[in-house]
Amino acid sequence: STNSPICISIWRNDLFQEAVFMKKILPTLIAFGLFICVFAYYQYFQKSNDSDNHIFIWEEEQNKIVSIEILTANENINIKRNGSQWEIQSPIQYPANSFLINEILYRFSSPNANELVDENPKDLSVYGLLSPITGITITSDEGISNTVSLGNTAPFSKGYYVLDKQTKKVYTMNASIWDELSLDTNSLRD
């Protein structure tokens, strides 16, 4: 009979700890579970939306590209494919940096735009495309050339304005497509 108050006390302590668990920890676990479900749902639909929103300025297979011309404010660089190798033809003759050439091919064989800004621009100077900062021309083995020219920075972090020289349409492209590339002769040399 002296043990009975101790047993009741231990039993009450167990009930108290179970109540604390039910009031504090269980709601936290439920909230965490809901967060995981919402996150997974968002990721699934965000990825499906991203894949539907690709705007390609043009599409060309990388292995069909035989030459690249890069026009900057300082120089005009011509690069040609010779078999499986790439060679700078001008302003110097030198083997090209295959890693950097592959990056250019990856980014510009089928350049991805954020949005079409103007289908029939009246004044290219508004976009900084009257005298573009940089231009890249790729030419396929069928002799088809495509040129994209870089203009001003677009507002609202949309990247840069670019011009498709063939269609004369103005797009925006992510800044990282251009900013992460070194488009000068010294960087392009192997």
Side-chain angles (χ1 to χ4, degrees):
S1 136
T2 55
N3 287 343
S4 122
I6 294 174
C7 287
I8 292 173
S9 174
I10 291 172
W11 182 71
R12 282 186 183 163
N13 192 22
D14 287 345
L15 285 176
F16 177 74
Q17 287 177 352
E18 191 174 313
V20 167
F21 173 79
M22 295 299 280
K23 285 184 178 179
K24 292 187 177 179
I25 297 174
L26 188 60
T28 303
L29 290 174
I30 291 171
F32 182 71
L34 284 172
F35 171 77
I36 295 296
C37 290
V38 168
F39 179 77
Y41 177 83
Y42 175 78
Q43 287 295 322
Y44 173 77
F45 282 104
Q46 183 66 28
K47 284 183 182 175
S48 66
N49 286 343
D50 285 350
S51 64
D52 296 341
N53 291 334
H54 287 298
I55 300 171
F56 291 106
I57 298 173
W58 64 73
E59 293 183 72
E60 185 63 67
E61 293 179 39
Q62 290 182 24
N63 62 348
K64 290 189 173 193
I65 298 172
V66 294
S67 71
I68 302 168
E69 182 179 3
I70 301 168
L71 181 62
T72 67
N74 301 325
E75 58 190 341
N76 188 4
I77 306 166
N78 288 302
I79 306 162
K80 300 242 188 255
R81 183 188 302 257
N82 185 3
S84 63
Q85 302 296 315
W86 287 87
E87 297 175 354
I88 299 172
Q89 300 293 307
S90 68
I92 60 169
Q93 288 191 341
Y94 210 85
N97 177 331
S98 60
F99 176 78
L100 192 51
I101 296 301
N102 286 332
E103 274 298 308
I104 292 169
L105 291 173
Y106 173 75
R107 293 172 190 220
F108 295 100
S109 62
S110 298
N112 194 359
N114 294 334
E115 68 178 323
L116 174 62
V117 176
D118 197 340
E119 285 192 45
N120 190 15
K122 304 287 185 239
D123 183 9
L124 290 174
S125 65
V126 171
Y127 306 109
L129 292 165
L130 194 57
S131 299
I133 302 166
T134 302
I136 294 181
T137 301
I138 61 164
T139 304
S140 73
D141 56 3
E142 298 169 349
I144 299 169
S145 293
N146 291 295
T147 302
V148 63
S149 299
L150 179 65
N152 292 339
T153 303
F156 308 114
S157 301
K158 292 195 176 196
Y160 293 112
Y161 290 115
V162 295
L163 174 69
D164 176 359
K165 289 261 182 147
Q166 283 62 38
T167 65
K168 304 294 187 219
K169 293 179 181 177
V170 175
Y171 298 86
T172 56
M173 283 179 82
N174 285 338
S176 63
I177 292 174
W178 294 88
D179 292 344
E180 295 172 358
L181 287 176
S182 297
L183 299 174
D184 61 87
T185 304
N186 286 332
S187 298
L188 289 165
R189 292 188 333 178
D190 195 12

